[in-house]
Amino acid sequence: MVKRRSGRWTSIEWKLPLLITALLLVLVVFGSWAAYREVRRSALETSRTNLERAAGNLAGLLDTGVEARAGRMELLGRNGDIRAALQLETRLPEAEEALYPLLTEDSLPVELRRPDGTPIARVGRFPSGWTESQIDSVRRNAPERERGYSEIRVVDGNAYIWIVAPVRADGSMRGAIAHLLEMGDSGSDAVQELLGPGRAVYYVNRSGGPWISLEGEVVDAPFPDPAAAPPTYERPNDGTRATAFIAPAGTSPIAIVAEAPLERVLAAPHSFLVHSSPASQSGGRSSRLNSRRTGDLSFSRRRC
């Protein structure tokens, strides 16, 4: 006579494989998640290194370019007509004539100034529509006694900076030459090729304020202090998550922001997580098994 097993034993027989399977699934999921976190961390570190390198290189290029232009302006300050105008503290047509070579295509003003910042000669013109108070305010934004460039100033939705070079005689400062420049059209296509799709570069004052794209677009800053950038943040223009590195341009008041969308940075880790999930793996095994069965069936049919 065959003895029937107790209900308790039958229950254990059924539950044990399920418990083992559940435990294996937990181990697989935990292992996949731990591996994903490591891949994610590595991707963020690599992105930060690349952004740091790009921001540092671009900040260096900006500083070198501005220094070269300021050096040219300082050299012009040795012109006799320029010095004579400053010595006489009066407008001289010859001094204005000497400033003309500094004009750029946009014809924004180049000014010869006294040490207190008051202009005594000017070529070029301020943008149409600017009021006297706006011109006065923008003038005060320029450094008075240091060679270099000013903070970014936004007027009517456009961003401007001053480049300033002191005029010296007998070892002392007699005045300065100041050139107003609009920020924009700064090789964004080349930067896109350097950083990759979706990446962006901005100018920003080290003291804070709006970000200025290489095309000159003014956008709201996603966080207030450029010196304390969070690991990730939300872009105010479209709400997407991003990460960035900010590098100061020499000793100037401006910094360079190199930014990457988080979605692109984490594309590889997300793909890894999807392909290492139990469902994906079981799906792959099922597909291989079905393929093997189909092959066996075809072989049997050929034999028949």
Side-chain angles (χ1 to χ4, degrees):
M1 180 181 293
V2 179
K3 293 184 178 180
R4 295 184 61 186
R5 296 182 180 180
S6 67
R8 181 183 175 190
W9 176 256
T10 304
S11 176
I12 291 175
E13 271 187 324
W14 282 102
K15 287 181 178 179
L16 189 57
L18 294 176
L19 291 172
I20 292 173
T21 302
L23 179 60
L24 290 174
L25 283 174
V26 168
L27 292 174
V28 169
V29 170
F30 179 80
S32 298
W33 179 249
Y36 163 75
R37 288 179 63 85
E38 182 61 27
V39 173
R40 185 181 189 275
R41 183 190 63 79
S42 178
L44 287 171
E45 285 185 358
T46 301
S47 174
R48 181 174 178 80
T49 299
N50 292 338
L51 292 174
E52 180 179 359
R53 185 186 303 114
N57 289 340
L58 292 170
L61 288 173
L62 171 64
D63 200 47
T64 300
V66 170
E67 277 297 312
R69 184 162 189 80
R72 182 184 170 201
M73 292 164 64
E74 193 166 356
L75 188 64
L76 183 63
R78 300 175 186 175
N79 179 284
D81 294 323
I82 296 287
R83 292 186 176 186
L86 289 172
Q87 185 176 1
L88 297 171
E89 295 192 352
T90 187
R91 176 180 172 272
L92 291 179
E94 294 84 0
E96 291 183 341
E97 189 70 26
L99 294 175
Y100 267 105
L102 295 176
L103 276 179
T104 51
E105 292 181 2
D106 55 16
S107 298
L108 288 174
V110 180
E111 296 185 334
L112 179 63
R113 298 177 176 181
R114 298 187 181 98
D116 64 1
T118 306
I120 60 172
R122 187 185 82 198
V123 294
R125 59 187 182 276
F126 288 96
S128 60
W130 279 24
T131 63
E132 284 300 320
S133 62
Q134 284 177 316
I135 293 173
D136 224 28
S137 175
V138 168
R139 274 201 182 111
R140 289 197 299 271
N141 190 48
E144 294 180 4
R145 296 184 175 274
E146 297 180 2
R147 166 172 156 172
Y149 42 109
S150 68
E151 282 196 331
I152 301 166
R153 187 67 181 271
V154 177
V155 180
D156 294 337
N158 298 314
Y160 302 88
I161 62 168
W162 287 100
I163 298 180
V164 177
V167 177
R168 304 183 188 277
D170 302 325
S172 61
M173 180 178 169
R174 303 296 184 182
I177 298 173
H179 188 187
L180 184 67
L181 295 175
E182 183 176 358
M183 306 186 76
D185 193 19
S186 303
S188 58
D189 292 340
V191 170
Q192 283 292 326
E193 290 180 9
L194 174 67
L195 294 179
R199 273 68 172 178
V201 172
Y202 301 92
Y203 305 102
V204 65
N205 288 327
R206 292 168 71 174
S207 61
W211 291 10
I212 316 300
S213 74
L214 296 183
E215 295 83 7
E217 181 186 3
V218 180
V219 300
D220 293 333
F223 47 87
D225 186 1
T232 63
Y233 55 87
E234 187 176 286
R235 284 172 165 173
N237 55 339
D238 57 14
T240 58
R241 303 291 298 176
T243 182
F245 188 88
I246 301 178
T251 58
S252 79
I254 298 176
I256 293 290
V257 183
E259 180 191 66
L262 203 61
E263 182 181 7
R264 289 186 179 272
V265 173
L266 299 180
H270 286 167
S271 176
F272 169 82
L273 182 62
V274 169
H275 287 91
S276 63
S277 66
S280 175
Q281 293 177 6
S282 64
R285 284 194 297 270
S286 298
S287 176
R288 289 192 297 272
L289 181 59
N290 290 335
S291 177
R292 190 180 302 118
R293 285 174 176 171
T294 304
D296 292 344
L297 182 58
S298 300
F299 178 73
S300 299
R301 287 174 176 171
R302 285 197 299 270
R303 291 190 61 182
C304 293

